[in-house]
């Protein structure tokens, strides 16, 4: 029998322990940005386990924020608001271990040799886009996010509280030999739930209220497999069942494994950290290039060195589908898009309190949010240079 061509991506709900940490870190970042008179430097990490939240890292700011209050508000807002669930925002212990940013690092960022903002660290970042979906994202991660987001929406609307905050999804897509999506091979939904429900009842509930609402029926067939809480009961979830840490779901944050990831976490980092800023610009470039017809899918790679402004490398991969020369694409990128940390920060206006809202369900492909790096406002300019390359010089 011929082997199928399958690809799988996963997503997690806002109540997953790692995502609890990402949201706390970005909520702290948002509050500091909101209250600072000068640009702050924030590198905030969070760890959670039963009854404890540890906030650690390096923060330099001219304002005071009540970190304990932020932590408790985020946890309660997610839905961990009573002891019966096993993790309670009002009663967890909050431990702080925070220092100022290293002066050696801040010197390279604030006063680099080029007289502008240097990168806050070395690193590599990737951005990806394809015409596979309206969001210019791979279909597997797009559908996986829709499932987990739907889990949270249903949980918050339920009259009879069945679902609890923790949960995961996984979508496996079958492709043909030309890389075109054929169908969905399997769907996994694992959801935290109350004890007073049978697994048969829960599976029917999830199939009818989550999966069939979210997944287009034309992608499903009689052979699609459904795995709903495949190991059985999931009554103990969240940080009580599993410890959490910022940055442990970076593939969920980006392209579901379909494209490269530089390895750096986004959450808890201010915009001078190119792990976040460079990845946003790389996505913006890739999305606008694909929309302009450069290739049906495209990946952009950037790298930076601490204290320096210009990227040390700029790489394009069109997966063999490019209609234009590599040199022309690179020239257009350098002409159209700002690539320095300060240029990216100013272009996207990144010193705004916008980060908690992207800390779960993906930083990219978010039509529900007005994100600067998701706009398609460079398509016409790119097309102009594709049609008449002499205009670039």
């Amino acid at each position: 029998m011929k082997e199928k061509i399958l690809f799988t991506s996963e997503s997690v709900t806002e109540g997953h322990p790692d995502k609890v940490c990402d949201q706390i870190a970005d909520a702290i970042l948002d509050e500091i940005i909101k209250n600072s008179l000068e640009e702050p430097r924030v590198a905030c990490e969070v760890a959670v386990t039963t009854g404890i939240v540890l906030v650690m890292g390096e923060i330099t700011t001219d304002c005071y924020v009540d970190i304990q209050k932020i932590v408790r508000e985020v946890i309660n807002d997610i839905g961990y608001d009573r002891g019966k669930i096993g993790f309670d925002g009002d009663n967890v212990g909050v431990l702080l271990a925070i220092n100022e940013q290293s002066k050696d690092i801040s010197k390279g960022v604030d006063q680099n040799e080029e007289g502008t903002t240097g990168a806050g660290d070395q690193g590599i970042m990737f951005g990806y886009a394809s015409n596979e979906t309206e969001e210019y994202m791979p279909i597997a991660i797009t559908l996986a996010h829709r499932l987990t987001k739907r889990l949270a929406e249903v949980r918050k609307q339920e009259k009879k509280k069945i679902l609890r905050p923790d949960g995961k999804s996984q979508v496996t897509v079958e492709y043909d030999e030309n890389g075109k999506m054929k169908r969905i091979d399997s769907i996994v939904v694992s959801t935290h739930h109350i004890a007073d429900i049978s697994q048969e009842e829960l599976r029917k509930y999830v199939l009818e209220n989550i999966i069939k609402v979210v997944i287009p029926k034309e992608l499903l067939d009689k052979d699609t497999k459904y795995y709903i809480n495949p190991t059985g009961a999931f009554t103990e979830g969240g940080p009580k069942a599993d410890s959490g840490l910022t940055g442990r779901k970076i593939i969920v944050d980006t392209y579901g494994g379909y494209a490269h990831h530089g390895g750096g976490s986004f959450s808890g980092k201010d915009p001078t950290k190119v792990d976040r800023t460079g990845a946003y610009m790389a996505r913006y470039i890739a999305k606008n290039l694909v929309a302009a017809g450069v290739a049906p899918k495209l990946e952009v790679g950037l790298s930076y060195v601490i204290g320096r402004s210009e990227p040390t490398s700029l790489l394009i991969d069109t997966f063999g589908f490019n209609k234009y020369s590599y040199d022309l694409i690179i020239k257009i990128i350098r002409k159209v898009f700002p690539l320095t940390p300060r240029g990216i920060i100013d272009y996207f206006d990144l010193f705004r309190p916008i980060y908690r809202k992207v800390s779960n369900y993906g930083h990219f492909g978010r039509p529900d949010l007005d994100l600067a790096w998701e706009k398609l406002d460079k398509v016409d300019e790119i097309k102009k240079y594709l049609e008449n390359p002499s205009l670039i010089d």
Side-chain angles (χ1 to χ4, degrees):
M1 187 175 72
K2 192 174 182 179
E3 193 70 26
K4 295 177 181 177
I5 302 172
L6 303 174
F7 187 84
T8 303
S9 291
E10 73 159 348
S11 178
V12 299
T13 67
E14 59 209 59
H16 185 280
D18 295 329
K19 275 296 157 200
V20 171
C21 296
D22 288 344
Q23 289 168 90
I24 291 171
D26 277 332
I28 291 169
L29 172 62
D30 281 349
E31 194 65 18
I32 291 172
I33 289 175
K34 190 187 305 181
N35 290 282
S36 292
L37 297 176
E38 298 183 359
E39 292 182 355
R41 298 289 179 263
V42 181
C44 180
E45 305 280 358
V46 179
V48 298
T49 188
T50 306
I52 298 173
V53 179
L54 172 60
V55 181
M56 53 193 163
E58 296 77 45
I59 298 175
T60 301
T61 180
D62 55 20
C63 72
Y64 169 79
V65 298
D66 190 339
I67 291 178
Q68 289 218 19
K69 181 181 178 184
I70 296 168
V71 170
R72 298 184 191 283
E73 286 177 347
V74 171
I75 293 170
N76 283 324
D77 184 56
I78 291 168
Y80 291 115
D81 54 4
R82 55 196 185 278
K84 188 176 181 180
I85 299 179
F87 196 67
D88 179 0
D90 289 334
N91 294 296
V92 295
V94 180
L95 307 178
L96 306 181
I98 296 171
N99 297 304
E100 289 189 351
Q101 183 184 59
S102 159
K103 288 182 171 55
D104 294 330
I105 294 174
S106 62
K107 181 174 63 176
V109 176
D110 296 331
Q111 302 172 3
N112 73 335
E113 294 178 2
E114 300 157 10
T116 185
T117 301
D121 202 349
Q122 69 181 46
I124 52 177
M125 305 89 219
F126 293 93
Y128 176 83
S130 79
N131 59 13
E132 189 173 15
T133 64
E134 291 181 1
E135 297 89 353
Y136 290 84
M137 290 286 287
I139 186 69
I141 188 65
T142 298
L143 295 178
H145 281 321
R146 289 180 189 174
L147 288 168
T148 51
K149 194 173 182 185
R150 176 67 181 169
L151 276 173
E153 290 169 352
V154 169
R155 170 174 60 86
K156 292 171 182 178
Q157 295 167 2
E158 287 175 321
K159 291 182 179 178
K160 180 187 176 184
K161 299 298 182 182
I162 294 173
L163 305 179
R164 286 182 171 170
D166 200 355
K168 288 184 173 184
S169 72
Q170 190 167 281
V171 176
T172 299
V173 175
E174 181 180 351
Y175 289 88
D176 65 21
E177 292 178 349
N178 297 314
K180 298 292 185 181
M181 184 191 67
K182 292 174 61 178
R183 56 185 287 274
I184 292 178
D185 187 75
S186 66
I187 296 171
V188 182
V189 175
S190 294
T191 181
H192 192 191
H193 61 86
I194 61 172
D196 189 22
I197 187 172
S198 70
Q199 288 304 297
E200 182 181 351
E201 185 182 357
L202 179 70
R203 287 177 181 132
K204 181 179 179 182
Y205 182 84
V206 170
L207 184 62
E208 295 298 325
N209 293 280
I210 308 299
I211 295 174
K212 289 187 176 180
V213 172
V214 165
I215 305 297
K217 61 182 180 180
E218 62 270 18
L219 300 181
L220 307 172
D221 58 33
K222 62 182 178 61
D223 296 320
T224 300
K225 299 175 282 294
Y226 303 97
Y227 302 100
I228 300 170
N229 282 24
T231 60
F234 186 179
T235 56
E236 194 169 279
K240 181 182 179 182
D242 190 11
S243 61
L245 185 66
T246 40
R248 208 155 52 179
K249 287 291 176 284
I250 55 176
I251 301 302
V252 172
D253 288 338
T254 54
Y255 308 102
Y258 203 90
H260 287 100
H261 192 295
S265 168
F266 298 159
S267 290
K269 294 180 179 178
D270 75 77
T272 66
K273 277 67 172 178
V274 283
D275 287 325
R276 185 193 285 276
T277 307
Y280 289 172
M281 179 51 71
R283 160 65 176 175
Y284 180 63
I285 295 169
K287 186 175 180 181
N288 276 270
L289 289 174
V290 170
V294 171
K297 59 180 180 178
L298 189 145
E299 186 176 73
V300 177
L302 295 169
S303 68
Y304 292 86
V305 62
I306 188 168
R308 298 299 176 120
S309 299
E310 293 294 332
T312 51
S313 68
L314 169 57
L315 176 69
I316 300 297
D317 188 354
T318 57
F319 306 95
F321 293 108
N322 56 298
K323 304 173 185 177
Y324 304 92
S325 73
Y326 181 87
D327 285 346
L328 176 59
I329 298 170
I330 293 292
K331 285 180 179 179
I332 290 173
I333 291 172
R334 293 191 181 279
K335 178 73 173 181
V336 174
F337 301 95
L339 299 177
T340 66
R342 174 50 57 188
I344 300 169
I345 290 168
D346 291 345
Y347 187 79
F348 289 149
D349 191 15
L350 289 178
F351 270 105
R352 293 179 290 138
I354 58 174
Y355 297 108
R356 187 190 165 190
K357 65 184 181 181
V358 294
S359 59
N360 43 266
Y361 311 120
H363 291 243
F364 309 124
R366 297 294 302 274
D368 56 318
L369 301 174
D370 183 24
L371 303 175
W373 54 89
E374 287 296 303
K375 294 185 183 301
L376 290 173
D377 52 2
K378 292 295 184 181
V379 174
D380 290 342
E381 188 175 0
I382 292 168
K383 287 181 176 179
K384 178 182 71 175
Y385 292 127
L386 290 173
E387 293 166 2
N388 193 347
S390 64
L391 295 175
I392 296 174
D393 299 324

mmCIF file with all atom_site columns, all heavy atoms in Angstrom, residues 238-255:
data_model
loop_
_atom_site.group_PDB
_atom_site.id
_atom_site.type_symbol
_atom_site.label_atom_id
_atom_site.label_alt_id
_atom_site.label_comp_id
_atom_site.label_asym_id
_atom_site.label_entity_id
_atom_site.label_seq_id
_atom_site.pdbx_PDB_ins_code
_atom_site.Cartn_x
_atom_site.Cartn_y
_atom_site.Cartn_z
_atom_site.occupancy
_atom_site.B_iso_or_equiv
_atom_site.pdbx_formal_charge
_atom_site.auth_seq_id
_atom_site.auth_comp_id
_atom_site.auth_asym_id
_atom_site.auth_atom_id
_atom_site.pdbx_PDB_model_num
ATOM 1   N N   . GLY A 1 238 ? -3.867 21.572 34.231 1.00 0.00 ? 238 GLY A N   1
ATOM 2   C CA  . GLY A 1 238 ? -3.225 22.824 34.597 1.00 0.00 ? 238 GLY A CA  1
ATOM 3   C C   . GLY A 1 238 ? -1.944 22.615 35.378 1.00 0.00 ? 238 GLY A C   1
ATOM 4   O O   . GLY A 1 238 ? -1.366 21.521 35.389 1.00 0.00 ? 238 GLY A O   1
ATOM 5   N N   . PRO A 1 239 ? -1.474 23.650 36.065 1.00 0.00 ? 239 PRO A N   1
ATOM 6   C CA  . PRO A 1 239 ? -0.207 23.562 36.799 1.00 0.00 ? 239 PRO A CA  1
ATOM 7   C C   . PRO A 1 239 ? -0.203 22.533 37.926 1.00 0.00 ? 239 PRO A C   1
ATOM 8   O O   . PRO A 1 239 ? 0.864  22.132 38.374 1.00 0.00 ? 239 PRO A O   1
ATOM 9   C CB  . PRO A 1 239 ? -0.033 24.987 37.354 1.00 0.00 ? 239 PRO A CB  1
ATOM 10  C CG  . PRO A 1 239 ? -0.767 25.836 36.383 1.00 0.00 ? 239 PRO A CG  1
ATOM 11  C CD  . PRO A 1 239 ? -1.969 25.040 35.986 1.00 0.00 ? 239 PRO A CD  1
ATOM 12  N N   . LYS A 1 240 ? -1.376 22.099 38.382 1.00 0.00 ? 240 LYS A N   1
ATOM 13  C CA  . LYS A 1 240 ? -1.411 21.041 39.393 1.00 0.00 ? 240 LYS A CA  1
ATOM 14  C C   . LYS A 1 240 ? -0.943 19.716 38.811 1.00 0.00 ? 240 LYS A C   1
ATOM 15  O O   . LYS A 1 240 ? -0.314 18.904 39.496 1.00 0.00 ? 240 LYS A O   1
ATOM 16  C CB  . LYS A 1 240 ? -2.820 20.883 39.953 1.00 0.00 ? 240 LYS A CB  1
ATOM 17  C CG  . LYS A 1 240 ? -2.921 19.813 41.043 1.00 0.00 ? 240 LYS A CG  1
ATOM 18  C CD  . LYS A 1 240 ? -4.331 19.648 41.545 1.00 0.00 ? 240 LYS A CD  1
ATOM 19  C CE  . LYS A 1 240 ? -4.389 18.553 42.625 1.00 0.00 ? 240 LYS A CE  1
ATOM 20  N NZ  . LYS A 1 240 ? -5.766 18.324 43.102 1.00 0.00 ? 240 LYS A NZ  1
ATOM 21  N N   . ALA A 1 241 ? -1.254 19.482 37.544 1.00 0.00 ? 241 ALA A N   1
ATOM 22  C CA  . ALA A 1 241 ? -0.918 18.214 36.913 1.00 0.00 ? 241 ALA A CA  1
ATOM 23  C C   . ALA A 1 241 ? 0.436  18.234 36.215 1.00 0.00 ? 241 ALA A C   1
ATOM 24  O O   . ALA A 1 241 ? 1.055  17.186 36.016 1.00 0.00 ? 241 ALA A O   1
ATOM 25  C CB  . ALA A 1 241 ? -2.003 17.839 35.903 1.00 0.00 ? 241 ALA A CB  1
ATOM 26  N N   . ASP A 1 242 ? 0.888  19.428 35.820 1.00 0.00 ? 242 ASP A N   1
ATOM 27  C CA  . ASP A 1 242 ? 2.120  19.518 35.035 1.00 0.00 ? 242 ASP A CA  1
ATOM 28  C C   . ASP A 1 242 ? 2.706  20.916 35.208 1.00 0.00 ? 242 ASP A C   1
ATOM 29  O O   . ASP A 1 242 ? 1.990  21.907 35.102 1.00 0.00 ? 242 ASP A O   1
ATOM 30  C CB  . ASP A 1 242 ? 1.806  19.255 33.564 1.00 0.00 ? 242 ASP A CB  1
ATOM 31  C CG  . ASP A 1 242 ? 3.051  19.082 32.705 1.00 0.00 ? 242 ASP A CG  1
ATOM 32  O OD1 . ASP A 1 242 ? 4.155  18.965 33.277 1.00 0.00 ? 242 ASP A OD1 1
ATOM 33  O OD2 . ASP A 1 242 ? 2.919  19.073 31.474 1.00 0.00 ? 242 ASP A OD2 1
ATOM 34  N N   . SER A 1 243 ? 3.989  20.998 35.465 1.00 0.00 ? 243 SER A N   1
ATOM 35  C CA  . SER A 1 243 ? 4.622  22.308 35.612 1.00 0.00 ? 243 SER A CA  1
ATOM 36  C C   . SER A 1 243 ? 4.653  23.034 34.274 1.00 0.00 ? 243 SER A C   1
ATOM 37  O O   . SER A 1 243 ? 4.565  22.421 33.206 1.00 0.00 ? 243 SER A O   1
ATOM 38  C CB  . SER A 1 243 ? 6.049  22.163 36.160 1.00 0.00 ? 243 SER A CB  1
ATOM 39  O OG  . SER A 1 243 ? 6.839  21.398 35.264 1.00 0.00 ? 243 SER A OG  1
ATOM 40  N N   . GLY A 1 244 ? 4.759  24.364 34.320 1.00 0.00 ? 244 GLY A N   1
ATOM 41  C CA  . GLY A 1 244 ? 4.788  25.166 33.108 1.00 0.00 ? 244 GLY A CA  1
ATOM 42  C C   . GLY A 1 244 ? 5.969  26.109 33.084 1.00 0.00 ? 244 GLY A C   1
ATOM 43  O O   . GLY A 1 244 ? 6.523  26.456 34.140 1.00 0.00 ? 244 GLY A O   1
ATOM 44  N N   . LEU A 1 245 ? 6.347  26.550 31.890 1.00 0.00 ? 245 LEU A N   1
ATOM 45  C CA  . LEU A 1 245 ? 7.502  27.432 31.730 1.00 0.00 ? 245 LEU A CA  1
ATOM 46  C C   . LEU A 1 245 ? 7.318  28.277 30.471 1.00 0.00 ? 245 LEU A C   1
ATOM 47  O O   . LEU A 1 245 ? 6.834  27.779 29.451 1.00 0.00 ? 245 LEU A O   1
ATOM 48  C CB  . LEU A 1 245 ? 8.780  26.599 31.615 1.00 0.00 ? 245 LEU A CB  1
ATOM 49  C CG  . LEU A 1 245 ? 10.111 27.342 31.551 1.00 0.00 ? 245 LEU A CG  1
ATOM 50  C CD1 . LEU A 1 245 ? 10.393 28.078 32.858 1.00 0.00 ? 245 LEU A CD1 1
ATOM 51  C CD2 . LEU A 1 245 ? 11.234 26.365 31.250 1.00 0.00 ? 245 LEU A CD2 1
ATOM 52  N N   . THR A 1 246 ? 7.719  29.546 30.533 1.00 0.00 ? 246 THR A N   1
ATOM 53  C CA  . THR A 1 246 ? 7.666  30.394 29.337 1.00 0.00 ? 246 THR A CA  1
ATOM 54  C C   . THR A 1 246 ? 8.530  29.820 28.219 1.00 0.00 ? 246 THR A C   1
ATOM 55  O O   . THR A 1 246 ? 9.581  29.233 28.473 1.00 0.00 ? 246 THR A O   1
ATOM 56  C CB  . THR A 1 246 ? 8.173  31.817 29.642 1.00 0.00 ? 246 THR A CB  1
ATOM 57  O OG1 . THR A 1 246 ? 9.310  31.736 30.499 1.00 0.00 ? 246 THR A OG1 1
ATOM 58  C CG2 . THR A 1 246 ? 7.124  32.676 30.265 1.00 0.00 ? 246 THR A CG2 1
ATOM 59  N N   . GLY A 1 247 ? 8.064  30.013 26.994 1.00 0.00 ? 247 GLY A N   1
ATOM 60  C CA  . GLY A 1 247 ? 8.872  29.677 25.836 1.00 0.00 ? 247 GLY A CA  1
ATOM 61  C C   . GLY A 1 247 ? 8.960  28.210 25.492 1.00 0.00 ? 247 GLY A C   1
ATOM 62  O O   . GLY A 1 247 ? 9.766  27.821 24.646 1.00 0.00 ? 247 GLY A O   1
ATOM 63  N N   . ARG A 1 248 ? 8.113  27.400 26.111 1.00 0.00 ? 248 ARG A N   1
ATOM 64  C CA  . ARG A 1 248 ? 8.192  25.965 25.823 1.00 0.00 ? 248 ARG A CA  1
ATOM 65  C C   . ARG A 1 248 ? 7.199  25.549 24.735 1.00 0.00 ? 248 ARG A C   1
ATOM 66  O O   . ARG A 1 248 ? 7.084  24.377 24.413 1.00 0.00 ? 248 ARG A O   1
ATOM 67  C CB  . ARG A 1 248 ? 7.944  25.169 27.108 1.00 0.00 ? 248 ARG A CB  1
ATOM 68  C CG  . ARG A 1 248 ? 8.622  23.820 27.103 1.00 0.00 ? 248 ARG A CG  1
ATOM 69  C CD  . ARG A 1 248 ? 8.917  23.269 28.466 1.00 0.00 ? 248 ARG A CD  1
ATOM 70  N NE  . ARG A 1 248 ? 7.774  23.248 29.356 1.00 0.00 ? 248 ARG A NE  1
ATOM 71  C CZ  . ARG A 1 248 ? 7.843  22.783 30.605 1.00 0.00 ? 248 ARG A CZ  1
ATOM 72  N NH1 . ARG A 1 248 ? 8.993  22.340 31.089 1.00 0.00 ? 248 ARG A NH1 1
ATOM 73  N NH2 . ARG A 1 248 ? 6.775  22.788 31.381 1.00 0.00 ? 248 ARG A NH2 1
ATOM 74  N N   . LYS A 1 249 ? 6.490  26.518 24.173 1.00 0.00 ? 249 LYS A N   1
ATOM 75  C CA  . LYS A 1 249 ? 5.552  26.225 23.093 1.00 0.00 ? 249 LYS A CA  1
ATOM 76  C C   . LYS A 1 249 ? 5.831  27.130 21.884 1.00 0.00 ? 249 LYS A C   1
ATOM 77  O O   . LYS A 1 249 ? 4.930  27.679 21.274 1.00 0.00 ? 249 LYS A O   1
ATOM 78  C CB  . LYS A 1 249 ? 4.115  26.412 23.588 1.00 0.00 ? 249 LYS A CB  1
ATOM 79  C CG  . LYS A 1 249 ? 3.657  25.304 24.520 1.00 0.00 ? 249 LYS A CG  1
ATOM 80  C CD  . LYS A 1 249 ? 3.486  23.990 23.782 1.00 0.00 ? 249 LYS A CD  1
ATOM 81  C CE  . LYS A 1 249 ? 3.133  22.831 24.708 1.00 0.00 ? 249 LYS A CE  1
ATOM 82  N NZ  . LYS A 1 249 ? 4.287  22.349 25.482 1.00 0.00 ? 249 LYS A NZ  1
ATOM 83  N N   . ILE A 1 250 ? 7.107  27.268 21.547 1.00 0.00 ? 250 ILE A N   1
ATOM 84  C CA  . ILE A 1 250 ? 7.484  28.190 20.469 1.00 0.00 ? 250 ILE A CA  1
ATOM 85  C C   . ILE A 1 250 ? 6.995  27.717 19.103 1.00 0.00 ? 250 ILE A C   1
ATOM 86  O O   . ILE A 1 250 ? 6.721  28.536 18.223 1.00 0.00 ? 250 ILE A O   1
ATOM 87  C CB  . ILE A 1 250 ? 9.010  28.438 20.439 1.00 0.00 ? 250 ILE A CB  1
ATOM 88  C CG1 . ILE A 1 250 ? 9.777  27.125 20.337 1.00 0.00 ? 250 ILE A CG1 1
ATOM 89  C CG2 . ILE A 1 250 ? 9.440  29.229 21.676 1.00 0.00 ? 250 ILE A CG2 1
ATOM 90  C CD1 . ILE A 1 250 ? 11.281 27.289 20.215 1.00 0.00 ? 250 ILE A CD1 1
ATOM 91  N N   . ILE A 1 251 ? 6.872  26.418 18.910 1.00 0.00 ? 251 ILE A N   1
ATOM 92  C CA  . ILE A 1 251 ? 6.368  25.918 17.624 1.00 0.00 ? 251 ILE A CA  1
ATOM 93  C C   . ILE A 1 251 ? 4.870  26.187 17.514 1.00 0.00 ? 251 ILE A C   1
ATOM 94  O O   . ILE A 1 251 ? 4.349  26.483 16.431 1.00 0.00 ? 251 ILE A O   1
ATOM 95  C CB  . ILE A 1 251 ? 6.685  24.425 17.457 1.00 0.00 ? 251 ILE A CB  1
ATOM 96  C CG1 . ILE A 1 251 ? 8.199  24.209 17.523 1.00 0.00 ? 251 ILE A CG1 1
ATOM 97  C CG2 . ILE A 1 251 ? 6.133  23.893 16.153 1.00 0.00 ? 251 ILE A CG2 1
ATOM 98  C CD1 . ILE A 1 251 ? 8.993  24.986 16.486 1.00 0.00 ? 251 ILE A CD1 1
ATOM 99  N N   . VAL A 1 252 ? 4.165  26.105 18.628 1.00 0.00 ? 252 VAL A N   1
ATOM 100 C CA  . VAL A 1 252 ? 2.748  26.485 18.661 1.00 0.00 ? 252 VAL A CA  1
ATOM 101 C C   . VAL A 1 252 ? 2.596  27.974 18.347 1.00 0.00 ? 252 VAL A C   1
ATOM 102 O O   . VAL A 1 252 ? 1.647  28.391 17.686 1.00 0.00 ? 252 VAL A O   1
ATOM 103 C CB  . VAL A 1 252 ? 2.135  26.161 20.040 1.00 0.00 ? 252 VAL A CB  1
ATOM 104 C CG1 . VAL A 1 252 ? 0.725  26.711 20.166 1.00 0.00 ? 252 VAL A CG1 1
ATOM 105 C CG2 . VAL A 1 252 ? 2.127  24.653 20.280 1.00 0.00 ? 252 VAL A CG2 1
ATOM 106 N N   . ASP A 1 253 ? 3.541  28.785 18.802 1.00 0.00 ? 253 ASP A N   1
ATOM 107 C CA  . ASP A 1 253 ? 3.487  30.236 18.585 1.00 0.00 ? 253 ASP A CA  1
ATOM 108 C C   . ASP A 1 253 ? 3.665  30.621 17.125 1.00 0.00 ? 253 ASP A C   1
ATOM 109 O O   . ASP A 1 253 ? 3.220  31.696 16.705 1.00 0.00 ? 253 ASP A O   1
ATOM 110 C CB  . ASP A 1 253 ? 4.584  30.944 19.400 1.00 0.00 ? 253 ASP A CB  1
ATOM 111 C CG  . ASP A 1 253 ? 4.292  30.964 20.883 1.00 0.00 ? 253 ASP A CG  1
ATOM 112 O OD1 . ASP A 1 253 ? 3.121  30.822 21.263 1.00 0.00 ? 253 ASP A OD1 1
ATOM 113 O OD2 . ASP A 1 253 ? 5.247  31.128 21.666 1.00 0.00 ? 253 ASP A OD2 1
ATOM 114 N N   . THR A 1 254 ? 4.329  29.762 16.345 1.00 0.00 ? 254 THR A N   1
ATOM 115 C CA  . THR A 1 254 ? 4.696  30.169 14.992 1.00 0.00 ? 254 THR A CA  1
ATOM 116 C C   . THR A 1 254 ? 3.969  29.356 13.927 1.00 0.00 ? 254 THR A C   1
ATOM 117 O O   . THR A 1 254 ? 2.796  29.600 13.659 1.00 0.00 ? 254 THR A O   1
ATOM 118 C CB  . THR A 1 254 ? 6.226  30.101 14.819 1.00 0.00 ? 254 THR A CB  1
ATOM 119 O OG1 . THR A 1 254 ? 6.697  28.784 15.192 1.00 0.00 ? 254 THR A OG1 1
ATOM 120 C CG2 . THR A 1 254 ? 6.918  31.145 15.663 1.00 0.00 ? 254 THR A CG2 1
ATOM 121 N N   . TYR A 1 255 ? 4.629  28.353 13.341 1.00 0.00 ? 255 TYR A N   1
ATOM 122 C CA  . TYR A 1 255 ? 4.087  27.703 12.135 1.00 0.00 ? 255 TYR A CA  1
ATOM 123 C C   . TYR A 1 255 ? 3.818  26.210 12.320 1.00 0.00 ? 255 TYR A C   1
ATOM 124 O O   . TYR A 1 255 ? 3.688  25.474 11.346 1.00 0.00 ? 255 TYR A O   1
ATOM 125 C CB  . TYR A 1 255 ? 5.035  27.937 10.955 1.00 0.00 ? 255 TYR A CB  1
ATOM 126 C CG  . TYR A 1 255 ? 5.355  29.409 10.781 1.00 0.00 ? 255 TYR A CG  1
ATOM 127 C CD1 . TYR A 1 255 ? 6.568  29.941 11.221 1.00 0.00 ? 255 TYR A CD1 1
ATOM 128 C CD2 . TYR A 1 255 ? 4.412  30.277 10.238 1.00 0.00 ? 255 TYR A CD2 1
ATOM 129 C CE1 . TYR A 1 255 ? 6.848  31.295 11.090 1.00 0.00 ? 255 TYR A CE1 1
ATOM 130 C CE2 . TYR A 1 255 ? 4.679  31.632 10.105 1.00 0.00 ? 255 TYR A CE2 1
ATOM 131 C CZ  . TYR A 1 255 ? 5.895  32.130 10.541 1.00 0.00 ? 255 TYR A CZ  1
ATOM 132 O OH  . TYR A 1 255 ? 6.158  33.475 10.426 1.00 0.00 ? 255 TYR A OH  1
#
